[in-house]
């Protein structure tokens, strides 16, 4: 199965392919970055995202040869991935991040102080394979895995199931839950940021609950918002401990809606929701501080949205909410809180 650019379902009113003109490689948009698309609030956009795994320098920057080593035929390697690998898109391997980022998209009427609501409408797999990357000296246990074992683990996707082979003729199978690791807005700076650490702009949040039907709210920092996306995943465990998740390309359609400052009671930080949960987010270089930041974000949400006394909200979080580690491998660690919406139904 291969979902090449321009083929198959394109659900958005606008469509963006991963061409040289539409991507940044290893950097995120800032206020000086020229938009490649302008839309109205409420418009839908389809993005053909490309995984960085298979096209990076330490993989030969040749996805046909790299994936061929795992038995993938040339016809099953996305043409846009091949073209990007062979392109002259600016990237400094020593200073820039690995991710291919599409955008930025300017949203008319978006101003600093607003929120950009990003609704995940549809996600289609563009291939039936991908990579989990360990890379020597990285992940949650860099000292224990440095120079031991392969740096890349090949994964298969079949229906709603992923698999990793091990031993002789054996494999472990697990559910797939595709999502976009990078969802962000342009930073209010004159230089482009590294793609790896997340922040108030969103970016590389790696929150696995941002599947189809979810939404992410991002505090707008520049005129037009400068929305961008990338880092597609087919599955990820909380923590993303090896360094990456099941990295593989997705076709994603999102709705971009401006929530004016006066109309929102959300705090000025990334905030997610699903049909069943509100998800405040905490970020910090130190995991303990990221946890504290998530607790404060959850308290701010509960006191602001429901008028709960702070001590009552604190007690509720301890009794009923779940705090999960988003990831520990992106320099800035992430912790998110799951608050059940049903707990507040009257």
């Amino acid at each position: 199965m291969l979902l090449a650019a321009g083929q198959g379902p394109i659900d958005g009113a606008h469509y963006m392919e991963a061409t040289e003109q539409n991507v940044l490689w290893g950097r995120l948009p800032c206020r000086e970055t020229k938009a490649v698309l302008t839309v109205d609030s409420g418009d839908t956009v389809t993005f053909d995202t490309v995984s960085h795994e298979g096209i990076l320098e330490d993989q030969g920057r040749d996805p046909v040869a790299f994936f061929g080593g795992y038995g993938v035929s040339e016809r099953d390697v996305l043409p846009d991935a091949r073209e990007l690998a062979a392109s002259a898109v600016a990237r400094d391997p020593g200073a820039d991040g690995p991710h291919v980022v599409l955008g930025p998209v300017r949203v008319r009427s978006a101003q600093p102080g607003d929120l950009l609501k990003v609704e995940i409408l549809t996600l289609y797999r563009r291939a039936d394979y991908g990579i989990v990357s360990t890379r020597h000296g990285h992940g949650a246990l860099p000292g224990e895995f440095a120079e031991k074992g392969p740096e890349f683990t090949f994964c298969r996707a079949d229906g709603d199931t992923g698999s990793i082979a091990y031993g002789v003729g054996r494999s472990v199978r697990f559910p797939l839950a595709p999502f976009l690791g990078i969802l962000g807005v342009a930073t209010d700076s004159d230089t482009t940021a590294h793609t790896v650490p997340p922040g108030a702009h969103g970016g590389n949040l790696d929150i696995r609950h941002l599947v189809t039907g979810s939404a992410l709210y991002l505090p707008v920092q520049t005129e037009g918002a400068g929305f961008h996306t990338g880092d597609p995943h087919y599955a990820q465990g909380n923590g993303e401990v090896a360094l990456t998740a099941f990295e593989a390309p997705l076709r994603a359609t999102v709705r971009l809606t401006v929530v004016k400052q006066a109309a929102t009671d959300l705090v000025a930080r990334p905030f997610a929701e699903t049909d069943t949960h509100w998800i405040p987010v905490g970020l910090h270089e130190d995991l303990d501080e990221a946890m504290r930041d998530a607790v404060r974000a959850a308290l701010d949400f509960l006191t602001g949205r429901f008028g709960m006394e702070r001590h009552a909200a604190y007690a509720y979080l301890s009794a009923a909410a779940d705090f999960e580690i988003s990831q520990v491998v992106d320099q800035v660690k992430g912790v998110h809180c799951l608050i059940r919406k049903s707990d507040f139904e009257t």
Side-chain angles (χ1 to χ4, degrees):
M1 182 275 291
L2 197 69
L3 189 58
Q7 299 178 358
I10 298 174
D11 298 332
H14 307 271
Y15 174 50
M16 186 180 296
E17 299 179 28
T19 63
E20 291 187 53
Q21 296 74 29
N22 293 341
V23 305
L24 297 172
W25 194 349
R27 290 282 159 177
L28 299 177
C30 66
R31 65 169 176 258
E32 302 298 327
T33 308
K34 184 179 179 180
V36 297
L37 174 68
T38 298
V39 302
D40 291 320
S41 176
D43 277 359
T44 56
V45 186
T46 296
F47 298 88
D48 267 349
T49 67
V50 171
S51 176
H52 54 279
E53 295 296 348
I55 66 173
L56 292 173
E57 289 77 11
D58 63 356
Q59 297 166 328
R61 198 151 167 170
D62 181 350
V64 171
F66 179 78
F67 287 115
Y70 297 99
V72 177
S73 66
E74 181 175 353
R75 68 176 179 274
D76 289 326
V77 178
L78 285 171
D80 46 6
R82 297 187 225 170
E83 291 163 8
L84 278 173
S87 75
V89 173
R91 178 173 178 270
D92 180 350
D96 297 339
H99 309 98
V100 176
V101 178
L102 279 78
V105 177
R106 178 176 174 267
V107 184
R108 296 185 182 94
S109 81
Q111 297 292 333
D114 297 336
L115 292 177
L116 183 68
K117 181 181 182 181
V118 183
E119 297 173 83
I120 311 301
L121 302 181
T122 56
L123 295 167
Y124 301 112
R125 299 200 310 266
R126 301 188 64 205
D128 58 7
Y129 59 88
I131 293 291
V132 174
S133 169
T134 301
R135 287 188 168 83
H136 295 153
H138 293 278
L141 302 173
E144 297 182 31
F145 278 83
E147 307 302 328
K148 297 178 183 178
E151 293 187 87
F152 310 108
T153 300
F154 186 74
C155 306
R156 286 284 184 189
D158 182 13
D160 295 328
T161 303
S163 64
I164 294 175
Y166 71 99
V168 179
R170 305 179 70 187
S171 64
V172 59
R173 299 173 66 82
F174 50 90
L176 297 180
F179 73 99
L180 296 163
I182 290 179
L183 295 158
V185 293
T187 57
D188 186 21
S189 62
D190 56 8
T191 57
T192 56
H194 197 283
T195 60
V196 170
H201 59 278
N204 193 25
L205 293 168
D206 279 335
I207 298 175
R208 69 183 184 93
H209 299 286
L210 292 173
V211 296
T212 300
S214 66
L216 178 67
Y217 298 82
L218 296 165
V220 175
Q221 302 184 23
T222 64
E223 187 278 330
F227 174 76
H228 53 273
T229 189
D231 191 27
H233 302 72
Y234 286 3
Q236 178 187 296
N238 282 324
E240 200 182 20
V241 296
L243 177 61
T244 80
F246 183 168
E247 312 280 325
L250 290 170
R251 174 170 294 168
T253 298
V254 304
R255 178 181 289 113
L256 303 175
T257 304
V258 177
V259 181
K260 301 308 289 184
Q261 187 174 34
T264 179
D265 54 10
L266 300 178
V267 293
R269 63 174 82 202
F271 181 96
E273 70 172 323
T274 67
D275 288 342
T276 57
H277 290 82
W278 292 296
I279 309 178
V281 177
L283 299 168
H284 199 276
E285 291 86 352
D286 180 272
L287 186 56
D288 287 342
E289 289 300 326
M291 176 66 182
R292 295 184 183 102
D293 193 44
V295 174
R296 294 185 186 105
L299 288 171
D300 289 345
F301 170 70
L302 292 173
T303 56
R305 170 66 67 90
F306 299 105
M308 293 182 75
E309 297 87 351
R310 201 166 180 82
H311 68 85
Y314 197 32
Y316 163 77
L317 293 173
S318 193
D322 291 315
F323 287 82
E324 299 180 341
I325 298 173
S326 313
Q327 52 74 27
V328 295
V329 294
D330 293 333
Q331 300 173 28
V332 172
K333 280 77 172 177
V335 175
H336 57 267
C337 174
L338 296 173
I339 299 172
R340 283 183 299 273
K341 292 181 176 180
S342 61
D343 292 356
F344 293 83
E345 294 176 354
T346 56

